Amino acid sequence: FGLGDLLTLPQNFGNIFLGETFSSYISVHNDSTQQCRDITLKIDLQTTSQRLMLSGADVPATDELGPDQSIDDVIHHEVKELGTHILVCAVSYTTNNYEKMAFRKFFKFQVLKPLDVKTKFYNAESDEVYLEAQIQNITPGPIYMDHVSLEPSSQYLCTPLNNAEGKDQKEMVFGKVNYLNPMDIRQYLYCLVPKPEVIKQNKVMKGVTDIGKIDIVWKTNLGERGRLQTSQLQRVAPGYGDIKVTLEETPDSVVLESSFNIICRITNCCERTMDLTLTLQNNQPSGLLWTGISGRQLGKLAPKENLDLRLTLIATIPGLQTISGLRITDNFLKRTYEHDELASVFIYNDSNP
């Protein structure tokens, strides 16, 4: 008497990867010749850390289920954990003799890692941060990289550097068909610039370490969609020393034997007030010569504060030349800080009359 256990699931359905959607069709079939009543179907997913109710929580019991009839359900769940998963299907019903019956079915499967993501950070002197994301396909089949983006933290603005200027529109440097074969690796590059209000609040960007999250969307060769998001990425804050020097304005190219101006920003990165003197040295093997007064007294600079200086150079040798030879002395400690190779400027000979 009663229902048979005709609730089956395939023992091998392929690979399930983290970030994909697990879908299953559940069918409870009455293969007896008797009428059953008050049938309930509850479906849970047991992971290593939690138990999720996928179906049956708010569904009322089916009043009757006649011979050769079925109760069908389709479940969907985005897999967010690695490791062993167990699908638990519980069925309860009442027979014609008002006897309550129940049975359960278990289906175990493994969730594998689809992608290997490695990141590298490059801290620029101008407070810009360059993030290189290396993504490797570790699935057994090719995948289509539908979308890869960096969602920056609240302190940064992000510019992706993965597009090539096409004739009609921007295209990815990888081409229109962005497939990644098994074990292939692809690099993505992003530039993060601190927001102006963050720079004002944190004149020295030592404490701003949260960068953002990488969001990856892909499709398998059968069109199945997968999505992963990394945890909050953090960089190692750069060490600037006592004094940080950056160039806020500088030309890209200059005509030979002409002068040009730059704006130099000096920031006090230490916890004490400094009394500064600026010295300009022209004994460096460079095609750029400083002009103006050397040995200027810049005065006192409080901790975390900065000052801007307009300086002038003359281009003497054609080619790509570096701005070097800037020396800053702290008169309190009698310590001199040397700053070379601050930026590069292309010097060209204008032959036009």
Side-chain angles (χ1 to χ4, degrees), residues 279-338:
T279 304
L280 305 173
Q281 293 186 355
N282 284 327
N283 55 359
Q284 300 290 326
S286 173
L288 301 175
L289 297 177
W290 297 99
T291 64
I293 300 175
S294 180
R296 293 173 53 182
Q297 296 293 329
L298 302 181
K300 295 181 180 180
L301 188 62
K304 314 304 180 187
E305 295 295 327
N306 57 56
L307 61 89
D308 291 345
L309 301 176
R310 181 178 292 272
L311 303 174
T312 304
L313 297 97
I314 295 180
T316 59
I317 301 176
L320 188 64
Q321 306 296 338
T322 59
I323 299 176
S324 300
L326 192 145
R327 304 290 183 263
I328 300 174
T329 301
D330 179 14
N331 298 318
F332 287 147
L333 297 181
K334 305 300 181 182
R335 182 182 299 171
T336 299
Y337 303 90
E338 300 181 357

Short mmCIF file of all heavy atoms in Angstrom, two decimals, residues 279-338:
data_model
loop_
_atom_site.label_atom_id
_atom_site.label_comp_id
_atom_site.label_asym_id
_atom_site.label_seq_id
_atom_site.Cartn_x
_atom_site.Cartn_y
_atom_site.Cartn_z
N THR A 279 66.89 73.25 -3.31
CA THR A 279 68.11 73.40 -4.09
C THR A 279 67.92 72.72 -5.44
O THR A 279 67.40 71.60 -5.50
CB THR A 279 69.31 72.78 -3.36
OG1 THR A 279 69.43 73.36 -2.06
CG2 THR A 279 70.60 73.01 -4.15
N LEU A 280 68.35 73.39 -6.51
CA LEU A 280 68.25 72.86 -7.87
C LEU A 280 69.64 72.56 -8.39
O LEU A 280 70.49 73.45 -8.43
CB LEU A 280 67.53 73.86 -8.78
CG LEU A 280 66.15 74.33 -8.31
CD1 LEU A 280 65.61 75.44 -9.21
CD2 LEU A 280 65.17 73.16 -8.27
N GLN A 281 69.88 71.32 -8.80
CA GLN A 281 71.20 70.91 -9.27
C GLN A 281 71.15 70.61 -10.76
O GLN A 281 70.27 69.87 -11.22
CB GLN A 281 71.68 69.67 -8.50
CG GLN A 281 71.96 69.93 -7.03
CD GLN A 281 72.57 68.73 -6.34
OE1 GLN A 281 72.71 67.66 -6.93
NE2 GLN A 281 72.96 68.90 -5.07
N ASN A 282 72.12 71.17 -11.49
CA ASN A 282 72.22 70.95 -12.93
C ASN A 282 73.40 70.08 -13.32
O ASN A 282 73.79 70.04 -14.48
CB ASN A 282 72.32 72.29 -13.66
CG ASN A 282 70.98 72.99 -13.74
OD1 ASN A 282 69.93 72.33 -13.82
ND2 ASN A 282 70.99 74.31 -13.68
N ASN A 283 73.99 69.37 -12.35
CA ASN A 283 75.13 68.52 -12.68
C ASN A 283 74.69 67.11 -13.05
O ASN A 283 75.51 66.21 -13.17
CB ASN A 283 76.10 68.47 -11.49
CG ASN A 283 75.40 68.03 -10.20
OD1 ASN A 283 74.21 67.78 -10.19
ND2 ASN A 283 76.19 67.95 -9.13
N GLN A 284 73.39 66.88 -13.22
CA GLN A 284 72.90 65.58 -13.65
C GLN A 284 73.08 65.44 -15.16
O GLN A 284 72.96 66.41 -15.91
CB GLN A 284 71.41 65.43 -13.28
CG GLN A 284 71.12 65.55 -11.80
CD GLN A 284 71.64 64.35 -11.03
OE1 GLN A 284 71.65 63.23 -11.54
NE2 GLN A 284 72.09 64.59 -9.80
N PRO A 285 73.36 64.22 -15.66
CA PRO A 285 73.50 64.01 -17.11
C PRO A 285 72.13 64.00 -17.80
O PRO A 285 71.62 62.97 -18.23
CB PRO A 285 74.19 62.64 -17.20
CG PRO A 285 73.76 61.94 -15.95
CD PRO A 285 73.64 62.99 -14.89
N SER A 286 71.52 65.18 -17.85
CA SER A 286 70.19 65.29 -18.42
C SER A 286 70.16 66.42 -19.43
O SER A 286 70.97 67.36 -19.37
CB SER A 286 69.15 65.53 -17.31
OG SER A 286 67.88 65.79 -17.85
N GLY A 287 69.22 66.32 -20.36
CA GLY A 287 69.07 67.38 -21.36
C GLY A 287 68.14 68.48 -20.92
O GLY A 287 67.67 69.26 -21.74
N LEU A 288 67.88 68.57 -19.61
CA LEU A 288 67.02 69.61 -19.04
C LEU A 288 67.80 70.36 -17.97
O LEU A 288 68.43 69.75 -17.11
CB LEU A 288 65.75 69.01 -18.44
CG LEU A 288 64.85 68.20 -19.38
CD1 LEU A 288 63.71 67.57 -18.61
CD2 LEU A 288 64.32 69.08 -20.50
N LEU A 289 67.78 71.68 -18.04
CA LEU A 289 68.51 72.52 -17.08
C LEU A 289 67.52 73.38 -16.30
O LEU A 289 66.61 73.98 -16.89
CB LEU A 289 69.53 73.40 -17.80
CG LEU A 289 70.66 72.68 -18.54
CD1 LEU A 289 71.54 73.69 -19.25
CD2 LEU A 289 71.48 71.82 -17.58
N TRP A 290 67.74 73.43 -14.97
CA TRP A 290 66.91 74.29 -14.13
C TRP A 290 67.30 75.75 -14.34
O TRP A 290 68.47 76.08 -14.53
CB TRP A 290 67.09 73.94 -12.65
CG TRP A 290 66.66 72.56 -12.27
CD1 TRP A 290 67.45 71.47 -12.10
CD2 TRP A 290 65.31 72.13 -12.00
NE1 TRP A 290 66.71 70.37 -11.74
CE2 TRP A 290 65.38 70.75 -11.66
CE3 TRP A 290 64.08 72.77 -12.00
CZ2 TRP A 290 64.25 70.01 -11.34
CZ3 TRP A 290 62.96 72.02 -11.67
CH2 TRP A 290 63.04 70.67 -11.35
N THR A 291 66.31 76.62 -14.24
CA THR A 291 66.57 78.07 -14.21
C THR A 291 65.87 78.64 -12.99
O THR A 291 64.91 78.07 -12.48
CB THR A 291 66.04 78.77 -15.48
OG1 THR A 291 64.62 78.64 -15.54
CG2 THR A 291 66.66 78.16 -16.73
N GLY A 292 66.35 79.77 -12.54
CA GLY A 292 65.75 80.37 -11.36
C GLY A 292 66.69 80.31 -10.17
O GLY A 292 67.88 79.99 -10.30
N ILE A 293 66.15 80.60 -9.00
CA ILE A 293 66.94 80.71 -7.78
C ILE A 293 67.05 79.34 -7.11
O ILE A 293 66.05 78.68 -6.86
CB ILE A 293 66.31 81.72 -6.81
CG1 ILE A 293 66.23 83.10 -7.46
CG2 ILE A 293 67.10 81.79 -5.51
CD1 ILE A 293 65.50 84.12 -6.62
N SER A 294 68.29 78.93 -6.84
CA SER A 294 68.54 77.72 -6.08
C SER A 294 68.87 78.09 -4.65
O SER A 294 69.49 79.13 -4.39
CB SER A 294 69.70 76.93 -6.70
OG SER A 294 69.96 75.75 -5.96
N GLY A 295 68.47 77.28 -3.71
CA GLY A 295 68.68 77.58 -2.30
C GLY A 295 67.54 78.40 -1.71
O GLY A 295 67.74 79.08 -0.69
N ARG A 296 66.36 78.35 -2.29
CA ARG A 296 65.19 79.08 -1.79
C ARG A 296 64.74 78.54 -0.44
O ARG A 296 64.71 77.35 -0.22
CB ARG A 296 64.01 78.97 -2.76
CG ARG A 296 64.18 79.65 -4.07
CD ARG A 296 63.02 79.32 -5.00
NE ARG A 296 61.71 79.61 -4.39
CZ ARG A 296 60.56 79.38 -4.99
NH1 ARG A 296 60.55 78.83 -6.21
NH2 ARG A 296 59.42 79.66 -4.39
N GLN A 297 64.37 79.44 0.45
CA GLN A 297 63.79 79.07 1.72
C GLN A 297 62.28 78.88 1.51
O GLN A 297 61.58 79.82 1.17
CB GLN A 297 64.06 80.14 2.78
CG GLN A 297 65.53 80.34 3.13
CD GLN A 297 66.12 79.12 3.83
OE1 GLN A 297 65.42 78.40 4.55
NE2 GLN A 297 67.41 78.90 3.62
N LEU A 298 61.80 77.67 1.73
CA LEU A 298 60.37 77.39 1.55
C LEU A 298 59.57 77.61 2.82
O LEU A 298 58.34 77.62 2.78
CB LEU A 298 60.19 75.94 1.07
CG LEU A 298 60.91 75.57 -0.24
CD1 LEU A 298 60.62 74.12 -0.59
CD2 LEU A 298 60.48 76.50 -1.36
N GLY A 299 60.24 77.74 3.94
CA GLY A 299 59.54 77.97 5.19
C GLY A 299 59.13 76.68 5.85
O GLY A 299 59.56 75.58 5.48
N LYS A 300 58.26 76.81 6.83
CA LYS A 300 57.83 75.65 7.62
C LYS A 300 56.62 74.98 6.96
O LYS A 300 55.74 75.64 6.41
CB LYS A 300 57.48 76.08 9.04
CG LYS A 300 58.69 76.60 9.83
CD LYS A 300 58.31 76.99 11.24
CE LYS A 300 59.53 77.51 12.00
NZ LYS A 300 59.18 77.89 13.38
N LEU A 301 56.63 73.66 7.04
CA LEU A 301 55.55 72.86 6.46
C LEU A 301 55.05 71.91 7.54
O LEU A 301 55.79 71.07 8.04
CB LEU A 301 56.04 72.08 5.23
CG LEU A 301 54.97 71.36 4.41
CD1 LEU A 301 53.97 72.34 3.83
CD2 LEU A 301 55.62 70.55 3.29
N ALA A 302 53.76 72.04 7.89
CA ALA A 302 53.18 71.24 8.96
C ALA A 302 52.98 69.80 8.51
O ALA A 302 52.96 69.50 7.30
CB ALA A 302 51.85 71.85 9.40
N PRO A 303 52.81 68.86 9.44
CA PRO A 303 52.58 67.46 9.07
C PRO A 303 51.32 67.30 8.21
O PRO A 303 50.31 67.95 8.44
CB PRO A 303 52.42 66.75 10.42
CG PRO A 303 53.13 67.63 11.39
CD PRO A 303 52.95 69.03 10.90
N LYS A 304 51.42 66.46 7.21
CA LYS A 304 50.35 66.13 6.26
C LYS A 304 49.95 67.29 5.35
O LYS A 304 49.02 67.14 4.55
CB LYS A 304 49.09 65.62 7.00
CG LYS A 304 49.35 64.58 8.08
CD LYS A 304 50.09 63.38 7.56
CE LYS A 304 50.33 62.37 8.67
NZ LYS A 304 51.20 61.25 8.25
N GLU A 305 50.64 68.41 5.44
CA GLU A 305 50.34 69.54 4.57
C GLU A 305 51.25 69.50 3.34
O GLU A 305 52.27 68.80 3.31
CB GLU A 305 50.53 70.85 5.31
CG GLU A 305 49.55 71.05 6.47
CD GLU A 305 48.11 71.15 5.98
OE1 GLU A 305 47.89 71.69 4.87
OE2 GLU A 305 47.21 70.69 6.71
N ASN A 306 50.86 70.27 2.31
CA ASN A 306 51.67 70.34 1.10
C ASN A 306 51.71 71.76 0.57
O ASN A 306 50.90 72.62 0.97
CB ASN A 306 51.13 69.37 0.04
CG ASN A 306 49.68 69.65 -0.30
OD1 ASN A 306 49.31 70.75 -0.68
ND2 ASN A 306 48.84 68.63 -0.17
N LEU A 307 52.66 72.00 -0.32
CA LEU A 307 52.77 73.29 -0.99
C LEU A 307 53.15 73.05 -2.44
O LEU A 307 53.84 72.08 -2.77
CB LEU A 307 53.78 74.20 -0.28
CG LEU A 307 55.24 73.75 -0.18
CD1 LEU A 307 56.06 74.21 -1.38
CD2 LEU A 307 55.86 74.30 1.11
N ASP A 308 52.69 73.96 -3.31
CA ASP A 308 52.95 73.87 -4.74
C ASP A 308 53.96 74.93 -5.16
O ASP A 308 53.88 76.09 -4.74
CB ASP A 308 51.65 74.03 -5.54
CG ASP A 308 50.71 72.85 -5.35
OD1 ASP A 308 51.16 71.81 -4.85
OD2 ASP A 308 49.52 72.98 -5.69
N LEU A 309 54.91 74.52 -6.00
CA LEU A 309 55.93 75.42 -6.51
C LEU A 309 55.90 75.40 -8.04
O LEU A 309 55.79 74.33 -8.65
CB LEU A 309 57.32 74.99 -6.03
CG LEU A 309 57.56 74.94 -4.51
CD1 LEU A 309 58.95 74.39 -4.23
CD2 LEU A 309 57.40 76.32 -3.89
N ARG A 310 56.02 76.57 -8.64
CA ARG A 310 56.16 76.67 -10.10
C ARG A 310 57.64 76.83 -10.42
O ARG A 310 58.27 77.81 -10.02
CB ARG A 310 55.35 77.84 -10.64
CG ARG A 310 55.44 77.98 -12.18
CD ARG A 310 54.59 79.13 -12.66
NE ARG A 310 53.18 78.84 -12.46
CZ ARG A 310 52.42 78.20 -13.34
NH1 ARG A 310 52.94 77.78 -14.49
NH2 ARG A 310 51.14 78.01 -13.09
N LEU A 311 58.19 75.85 -11.14
CA LEU A 311 59.61 75.85 -11.48
C LEU A 311 59.77 75.87 -12.99
O LEU A 311 58.88 75.46 -13.74
CB LEU A 311 60.30 74.62 -10.88
CG LEU A 311 60.17 74.45 -9.36
CD1 LEU A 311 60.76 73.13 -8.91
CD2 LEU A 311 60.81 75.62 -8.63
N THR A 312 60.95 76.33 -13.44
CA THR A 312 61.21 76.50 -14.87
C THR A 312 62.45 75.73 -15.28
O THR A 312 63.46 75.72 -14.55
CB THR A 312 61.39 77.99 -15.23
OG1 THR A 312 60.24 78.72 -14.79
CG2 THR A 312 61.55 78.18 -16.73
N LEU A 313 62.37 75.06 -16.47
CA LEU A 313 63.51 74.35 -17.04
C LEU A 313 63.69 74.75 -18.49
O LEU A 313 62.76 75.25 -19.15
CB LEU A 313 63.32 72.83 -16.95
CG LEU A 313 63.21 72.20 -15.57
CD1 LEU A 313 61.74 72.00 -15.20
CD2 LEU A 313 63.95 70.87 -15.51
N ILE A 314 64.90 74.49 -19.02
CA ILE A 314 65.22 74.74 -20.43
C ILE A 314 65.65 73.42 -21.06
O ILE A 314 66.44 72.66 -20.48
CB ILE A 314 66.35 75.78 -20.57
CG1 ILE A 314 65.88 77.15 -20.06
CG2 ILE A 314 66.80 75.90 -22.02
CD1 ILE A 314 66.92 78.23 -20.16
N ALA A 315 65.11 73.15 -22.24
CA ALA A 315 65.44 71.93 -22.96
C ALA A 315 66.69 72.16 -23.80
O ALA A 315 66.74 73.06 -24.63
CB ALA A 315 64.27 71.53 -23.86
N THR A 316 67.74 71.33 -23.58
CA THR A 316 69.02 71.54 -24.26
C THR A 316 69.41 70.39 -25.19
O THR A 316 70.23 70.58 -26.08
CB THR A 316 70.13 71.73 -23.22
OG1 THR A 316 70.20 70.57 -22.37
CG2 THR A 316 69.86 72.97 -22.36
N ILE A 317 68.87 69.20 -24.97
CA ILE A 317 69.24 68.03 -25.77
C ILE A 317 67.97 67.34 -26.25
O ILE A 317 67.05 67.11 -25.45
CB ILE A 317 70.11 67.04 -24.96
CG1 ILE A 317 71.39 67.72 -24.46
CG2 ILE A 317 70.46 65.80 -25.78
CD1 ILE A 317 72.24 66.83 -23.56
N PRO A 318 67.85 67.03 -27.55
CA PRO A 318 66.63 66.36 -28.03
C PRO A 318 66.55 64.92 -27.53
O PRO A 318 67.53 64.31 -27.14
CB PRO A 318 66.78 66.42 -29.55
CG PRO A 318 68.26 66.54 -29.79
CD PRO A 318 68.80 67.32 -28.64
N GLY A 319 65.33 64.41 -27.57
CA GLY A 319 65.09 63.04 -27.11
C GLY A 319 64.22 63.01 -25.86
O GLY A 319 63.68 64.04 -25.42
N LEU A 320 64.06 61.83 -25.28
CA LEU A 320 63.27 61.66 -24.06
C LEU A 320 64.17 61.95 -22.86
O LEU A 320 65.09 61.20 -22.57
CB LEU A 320 62.70 60.25 -24.00
CG LEU A 320 61.68 59.99 -22.88
CD1 LEU A 320 60.44 60.83 -23.08
CD2 LEU A 320 61.32 58.50 -22.82
N GLN A 321 63.90 63.05 -22.17
CA GLN A 321 64.73 63.50 -21.06
C GLN A 321 63.94 63.42 -19.76
O GLN A 321 62.72 63.58 -19.73
CB GLN A 321 65.21 64.93 -21.30
CG GLN A 321 65.92 65.14 -22.62
CD GLN A 321 67.22 64.35 -22.73
OE1 GLN A 321 67.80 63.97 -21.72
NE2 GLN A 321 67.67 64.10 -23.96
N THR A 322 64.67 63.20 -18.66
CA THR A 322 64.03 63.08 -17.34
C THR A 322 64.31 64.33 -16.51
O THR A 322 65.38 64.95 -16.62
CB THR A 322 64.55 61.85 -16.59
OG1 THR A 322 65.98 61.95 -16.43
CG2 THR A 322 64.21 60.58 -17.33
N ILE A 323 63.32 64.66 -15.69
CA ILE A 323 63.45 65.80 -14.77
C ILE A 323 64.09 65.29 -13.49
O ILE A 323 63.51 64.48 -12.76
CB ILE A 323 62.09 66.44 -14.49
CG1 ILE A 323 61.47 66.95 -15.79
CG2 ILE A 323 62.20 67.57 -13.48
CD1 ILE A 323 60.07 67.52 -15.62
N SER A 324 65.30 65.75 -13.21
CA SER A 324 66.05 65.30 -12.04
C SER A 324 66.76 66.48 -11.41
O SER A 324 66.71 67.61 -11.92
CB SER A 324 67.07 64.21 -12.43
OG SER A 324 66.44 63.09 -13.01
N GLY A 325 67.43 66.20 -10.29
CA GLY A 325 68.27 67.21 -9.65
C GLY A 325 67.56 68.09 -8.65
O GLY A 325 68.04 69.18 -8.34
N LEU A 326 66.42 67.65 -8.10
CA LEU A 326 65.72 68.46 -7.11
C LEU A 326 66.11 67.97 -5.72
O LEU A 326 66.00 66.78 -5.42
CB LEU A 326 64.20 68.35 -7.34
CG LEU A 326 63.31 69.34 -6.59
CD1 LEU A 326 62.11 69.72 -7.45
CD2 LEU A 326 62.82 68.74 -5.28
N ARG A 327 66.58 68.90 -4.90
CA ARG A 327 67.04 68.57 -3.55
C ARG A 327 66.28 69.42 -2.53
O ARG A 327 66.15 70.64 -2.71
CB ARG A 327 68.55 68.83 -3.40
CG ARG A 327 69.40 68.08 -4.42
CD ARG A 327 69.40 66.59 -4.14
NE ARG A 327 70.25 65.86 -5.07
CZ ARG A 327 69.80 65.25 -6.16
NH1 ARG A 327 68.50 65.29 -6.46
NH2 ARG A 327 70.63 64.59 -6.95
N ILE A 328 65.79 68.76 -1.47
CA ILE A 328 65.06 69.45 -0.41
C ILE A 328 65.76 69.14 0.91
O ILE A 328 65.98 67.98 1.25
CB ILE A 328 63.59 69.00 -0.36
CG1 ILE A 328 62.89 69.31 -1.69
CG2 ILE A 328 62.85 69.69 0.79
CD1 ILE A 328 61.48 68.78 -1.78
N THR A 329 66.09 70.19 1.65
CA THR A 329 66.80 70.04 2.92
C THR A 329 65.89 70.44 4.07
O THR A 329 65.24 71.49 4.03
CB THR A 329 68.07 70.92 2.95
OG1 THR A 329 68.92 70.54 1.86
CG2 THR A 329 68.82 70.76 4.26
N ASP A 330 65.83 69.57 5.08
CA ASP A 330 65.13 69.88 6.33
C ASP A 330 66.13 70.54 7.27
O ASP A 330 67.06 69.89 7.75
CB ASP A 330 64.55 68.60 6.94
CG ASP A 330 63.83 68.87 8.25
OD1 ASP A 330 63.55 70.05 8.55
OD2 ASP A 330 63.54 67.90 8.98
N ASN A 331 65.93 71.83 7.51
CA ASN A 331 66.90 72.59 8.29
C ASN A 331 66.90 72.19 9.76
O ASN A 331 67.90 72.43 10.46
CB ASN A 331 66.62 74.10 8.17
CG ASN A 331 66.76 74.57 6.74
OD1 ASN A 331 67.69 74.18 6.03
ND2 ASN A 331 65.82 75.40 6.28
N PHE A 332 65.81 71.60 10.25
CA PHE A 332 65.78 71.18 11.66
C PHE A 332 66.73 70.02 11.90
O PHE A 332 67.47 70.00 12.88
CB PHE A 332 64.36 70.80 12.06
CG PHE A 332 63.44 71.98 12.20
CD1 PHE A 332 62.10 71.88 11.89
CD2 PHE A 332 63.92 73.21 12.66
CE1 PHE A 332 61.25 72.96 12.02
CE2 PHE A 332 63.08 74.31 12.79
CZ PHE A 332 61.74 74.18 12.48
N LEU A 333 66.69 69.02 11.00
CA LEU A 333 67.54 67.83 11.18
C LEU A 333 68.79 67.87 10.31
O LEU A 333 69.59 66.93 10.36
CB LEU A 333 66.73 66.57 10.85
CG LEU A 333 65.52 66.28 11.74
CD1 LEU A 333 64.86 64.97 11.30
CD2 LEU A 333 65.92 66.21 13.21
N LYS A 334 68.93 68.92 9.49
CA LYS A 334 70.07 69.01 8.56
C LYS A 334 70.12 67.79 7.64
O LYS A 334 71.18 67.24 7.37
CB LYS A 334 71.40 69.15 9.33
CG LYS A 334 71.43 70.30 10.30
CD LYS A 334 71.22 71.65 9.62
CE LYS A 334 71.29 72.80 10.63
NZ LYS A 334 71.02 74.11 9.96
N ARG A 335 68.96 67.37 7.17
CA ARG A 335 68.87 66.19 6.32
C ARG A 335 68.39 66.61 4.93
O ARG A 335 67.46 67.40 4.79
CB ARG A 335 67.90 65.18 6.92
CG ARG A 335 67.75 63.88 6.14
CD ARG A 335 66.73 62.98 6.81
NE ARG A 335 67.16 62.63 8.17
CZ ARG A 335 66.36 62.00 9.04
NH1 ARG A 335 65.12 61.68 8.71
NH2 ARG A 335 66.83 61.70 10.24
N THR A 336 69.07 66.09 3.90
CA THR A 336 68.74 66.44 2.52
C THR A 336 68.10 65.24 1.83
O THR A 336 68.61 64.12 1.91
CB THR A 336 70.00 66.87 1.75
OG1 THR A 336 70.57 68.03 2.38
CG2 THR A 336 69.65 67.22 0.30
N TYR A 337 66.99 65.50 1.15
CA TYR A 337 66.26 64.47 0.43
C TYR A 337 66.45 64.70 -1.07
O TYR A 337 66.18 65.79 -1.58
CB TYR A 337 64.77 64.52 0.78
CG TYR A 337 64.49 64.37 2.26
CD1 TYR A 337 64.43 65.49 3.09
CD2 TYR A 337 64.30 63.12 2.83
CE1 TYR A 337 64.17 65.36 4.45
CE2 TYR A 337 64.05 62.98 4.18
CZ TYR A 337 63.99 64.10 4.99
OH TYR A 337 63.74 63.97 6.33
N GLU A 338 66.92 63.65 -1.76
CA GLU A 338 67.20 63.75 -3.18
C GLU A 338 66.03 63.17 -3.99
O GLU A 338 65.54 62.09 -3.69
CB GLU A 338 68.49 62.99 -3.52
CG GLU A 338 69.71 63.51 -2.78
CD GLU A 338 70.97 62.75 -3.16
OE1 GLU A 338 70.85 61.79 -3.96
OE2 GLU A 338 72.06 63.11 -2.66
#
